[in-house]
Amino acid sequence: MGVRPDIIRLGTSRNDADAIADLHTRSRQSAYRGLYGDAYLDHDLFDVSRATWRTRFEHFDPAHDLILAAMDGGAPIGLAYASFRLNPRIGALLDNLHVAPERKGGGLGTRLLAETARWLVDEHAGAPLHLEVYAPNAAALAFYERLGGVETTRYAEEVPGGRVVEVARYRWTNPADLIR
């Protein structure tokens, strides 16, 4: 763990899609336990994640989408996915920012967020960055606020398992502020 993982851009390989989906699944099983239904997390999530990520890679458009992976030993340990196509009304949305549960707290989330901001600054004239997070995830809310995110709205969403959960949307008007 002494070597700083590389952060690379992905976008076309089905093998990459499956590796990212598997990391995404592990992260969600850890972070969303008690929020999503256990049956979904334990039985459905793996297939749902693989299908979602295969579709994202299949329809990847580098002009509108960004998929980043923090790699260690050839395996992803962190991921970020942003797109202008997910919610065109608000612009760039960071839909996924996940770090392997055993690697949290080492700065990977901050680095992935900074690289996402760099993409916006370098390739999209510094367009604002948005992300959405489940409001019960106090650690994530504190993380985004510590990095200068400003909460802009909240809304209710039904999550897998049938619970209704509040979602908070954060915005960075100037993503360059995230680049360190």
Side-chain angles (χ1 to χ4, degrees):
M1 193 154 113
V3 175
R4 188 171 185 186
D6 292 326
I7 295 181
I8 62 172
R9 286 189 183 195
L10 303 174
T12 57
S13 168
R14 183 179 174 137
N15 289 338
D16 288 341
D18 288 350
I20 292 294
D22 294 349
L23 169 60
H24 189 212
T25 297
R26 283 191 323 115
S27 177
R28 290 170 80 187
Q29 286 172 327
S30 172
Y32 299 164
R33 185 73 58 191
L35 190 65
Y36 284 11
D38 287 344
Y40 178 80
L41 289 170
D42 296 335
H43 304 291
D44 301 330
L45 180 58
F46 178 83
D47 291 332
V48 169
S49 289
R50 284 230 169 160
T52 297
W53 284 98
R54 287 175 180 173
T55 298
R56 285 178 173 176
F57 275 69
E58 181 180 328
H59 297 288
F60 180 78
D61 176 358
H64 297 99
D65 305 317
L66 176 70
I67 302 172
L68 297 173
M71 304 295 287
D72 188 12
I77 58 170
L79 70 95
Y81 170 70
S83 180
F84 283 91
R85 299 185 297 164
L86 296 170
N87 189 340
R89 182 180 54 81
I90 64 167
L93 178 67
L94 180 61
D95 191 48
N96 298 112
L97 179 65
H98 292 271
V99 173
E102 69 277 7
R103 299 298 288 261
K104 286 190 174 191
L108 284 178
T110 301
R111 286 183 58 210
L112 287 161
L113 192 57
E115 288 302 314
T116 302
R118 187 176 314 283
W119 173 68
L120 290 170
V121 169
D122 292 349
E123 299 178 34
H124 296 284
L129 174 64
H130 299 85
L131 66 77
E132 297 173 338
V133 59
Y134 293 120
N137 189 343
L141 297 177
F143 173 72
Y144 298 130
E145 289 171 6
R146 193 169 52 252
L147 293 174
V150 175
E151 186 177 324
T152 61
T153 191
R154 285 193 181 215
Y155 63 91
E157 174 180 287
E158 185 173 335
V159 298
R163 283 186 62 192
V164 175
V165 177
E166 197 168 51
V167 176
R169 182 178 301 140
Y170 281 81
R171 175 183 172 106
W172 286 265
T173 302
N174 184 11
D177 294 340
L178 290 164
I179 301 171
R180 303 178 196 276

